[in-house]
């Protein structure tokens, strides 16, 4: 038995159509906040199936609402629609037709999963309450979830709970993974500009060398995780780039670097950002240089709510048995803007295995592809979750 054996018959009957939609989206990837054709397709299908469709939240976001019965209860399910600036190298017949753009994170699959569930929910699902299907832009950068919320997502479409999923290579195809509490890391990009004083490479005493200051900062930053963060906590401080100078006999005026900072809790995140600020400023001052620090693209840690995670897990266990789940799922130091939604509304972000076979690619790799065998499993799960959450009994 594997999880495909549990796919709802009517979802299986429409699988070929849904795969065609997935491949169409894959062929026409669109970057953050440019998901015009994708959101057109999503909105058209939802409207065809009888959803009340709202567009324009977070620029290209779409919400499809379906009400049944009289219950005031409501559930939100979210999929992301954006692609990445990567040149596809899969050689697939449905490979990207857009130069330098690719669905390398499987958001084409997530969108198709939710569309497949949407079709079923509208045609025959048994529930009492309101379902909001949230198709968001710009997960990969720009915080599309946050932008939809800024535009009133949860005020216009109140949800008692919200759920989302992501495929994950390295786990068996179609297995579902749940973990309560801190599950994915916060992410902050920290840009640092060091201003020294340029001069002749042969006369360093007349200059303030920003490269030496920068090198000292890079080394000093290494002590934050090792000396300030409690040993049992998770934290990452990576210097992703360090640019300065252009000739061996010229000391430049400035140096620039950018850090990626990750933590699993709000406390550790604050500690990291505080210590980075203090370390950078003190290092720069000790050389007579100045430092300017800017934090951008802040994503909070993703914290799954205990009650909703247990609920979502139980739905999977009742449907698939324990063998249908990823055992002992560990936290991930990647980040996800669904974390913004979970700050506002209780819920759970879960994984679906994308396959653990030879030759499988990690997401964001030019050889990656979403595993089509997951589509109907994911769609059936969303249906089970909605029917249970908004059950008649
Ligand atoms: Zn991604
Ligand atoms: Zn992704």
């Amino acid at each position: 038995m594997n999880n495909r054996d549990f796919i709802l018959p009517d979802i299986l009957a429409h699988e070929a159509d849904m795969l065609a939609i997935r491949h169409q989206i894959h062929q026409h990837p669109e970057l953050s906040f440019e998901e015009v054709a994708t959101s057109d397709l999503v909105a058209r299908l939802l409207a065809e199936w009888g959803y009340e469709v709202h567009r324009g939240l977070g620029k290209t976001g779409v919400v499809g609402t379906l009400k049944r019965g009289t219950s005031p209860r409501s559930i939100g399910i979210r999929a992301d629609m954006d692609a990445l600036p990567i040149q596809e190298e899969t050689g697939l017949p449905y490979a990207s037709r857009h130069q330098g753009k690719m669905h390398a994170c499987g958001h084409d699959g997530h969108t198709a999963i939710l569309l497949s569930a949407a079709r079923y929910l509208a045609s025959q699902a048994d529930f009492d309450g309101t379902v909001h299907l949230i198709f968001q832009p710009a997960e990969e950068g720009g915080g599309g979830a946050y932008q939809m919320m800024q535009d009133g997502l949860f005020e216009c479409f109140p949800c008692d709970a919200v759920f989302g999923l992501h495929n994950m290579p390295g786990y068996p195809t179609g297995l579902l993974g749940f973990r309560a509490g801190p599950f994915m890391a916060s992410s902050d990009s920290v840009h640092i500009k060091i201003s020294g004083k340029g001069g002749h490479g042969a006369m360093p005493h007349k200059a303030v060398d920003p490269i030496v200051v920068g090198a000292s900062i890079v080394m000093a930053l290494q002590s934050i995780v090792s000396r300030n963060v409690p040993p049992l906590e998770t934290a990452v401080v990576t210097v992703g780039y360090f640019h300065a100078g252009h000739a061996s006999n010229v000391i430049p005026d400035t140096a620039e670097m950018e850090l990626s900072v990750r933590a699993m809790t709000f406390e550790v995140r604050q500690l990291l950002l505080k210590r980075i600020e203090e370390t950078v400023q003190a290092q720069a001052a000790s050389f007579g240089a100045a430092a300017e620090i800017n934090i951008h693209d802040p994503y909070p840690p993703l914290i799954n709510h205990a009650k909703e995670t247990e609920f979502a897990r139980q739905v999977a266990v009742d449907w698939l048995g324990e063998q249908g789940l990823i055992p002992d799922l560990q936290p991930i130091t990647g980040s996800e803007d669904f974390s913004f939604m979970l700050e506002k509304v209780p819920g759970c972000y879960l994984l679906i295995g994308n396959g653990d076979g030879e030759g499988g690619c990690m997401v964001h790799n030019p050889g990656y592809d979403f595993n089509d065998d997951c589509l109907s499993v994911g769609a059936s799960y969303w249906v089970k979750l909605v029917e249970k959450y908004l059950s008649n009994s």
Side-chain angles (χ1 to χ4, degrees), residues 36 82 113-114 128 143 146-147 149 151 158 178 197 235 250 252 289 355 366:
V36 176
D82 57 319
I113 286 174
L114 193 50
D128 185 11
Y146 181 75
Q147 292 306 327
M149 289 166 66
D151 288 347
F178 302 86
K197 186 179 168 201
V250 177

Side-chain angles (χ1 to χ4, degrees), residues 3 24 58 72 76 91 104 144 151 156 172 226 239 243 245 248 288 302 304 319 328 338 340:
N3 287 358
Q24 183 185 340
D151 288 347
C156 301
S226 72
V239 180
H243 294 166
S248 64
L302 186 146
N304 276 328
W319 175 44
D328 193 28
F338 191 67
F340 286 108

Side-chain angles (χ1 to χ4, degrees), residues 313-375:
R313 203 189 78 85
Q314 199 55 52
V315 169
V317 171
D318 291 348
W319 175 44
L320 305 163
E322 289 281 352
Q323 70 279 4
L325 273 60
I326 299 169
D328 193 28
L329 182 64
Q330 294 300 303
I332 301 170
T333 51
S335 306
E336 181 33 84
D337 75 352
F338 191 67
S339 56
F340 286 108
M341 295 193 182
L342 291 180
E343 281 190 326
K344 180 109 183 197
V345 178
C348 171
Y349 188 70
L350 58 120
L351 297 187
I352 184 164
N354 201 56
D356 57 353
E358 291 274 311
C361 275
M362 189 31 89
V363 289
H364 293 210
N365 182 296
Y368 164 86
D369 191 33
F370 174 81
N371 186 335
D372 280 340
D373 282 340
C374 293
L375 195 154

Side-chain angles (χ1 to χ4, degrees), residues 80 82 84 105-107 110 139-140 166-167 336 349 363-364:
D80 38 16
D82 57 319
L84 283 157
C105 205
H107 299 182
H110 306 161
E139 193 288 316
E140 298 287 1
H166 206 292
N167 77 93
E336 181 33 84
Y349 188 70
V363 289
H364 293 210

Side-chain angles (χ1 to χ4, degrees), residues 22-31 83-108 361-362 364-372:
R22 205 282 280 182
H23 296 165
Q24 183 185 340
I25 297 171
H26 191 90
Q27 259 182 343
H28 303 283
E30 298 173 299
L31 302 181
L84 283 157
I86 292 175
Q87 181 61 39
E88 180 160 353
E89 291 172 15
T90 60
L92 289 163
Y94 54 84
S96 170
R97 292 185 180 174
H98 296 177
Q99 188 71 19
K101 299 176 189 177
M102 175 188 178
H103 269 293
C105 205
H107 299 182
D108 51 339
C361 275
M362 189 31 89
H364 293 210
N365 182 296
Y368 164 86
D369 191 33
F370 174 81
N371 186 335
D372 280 340

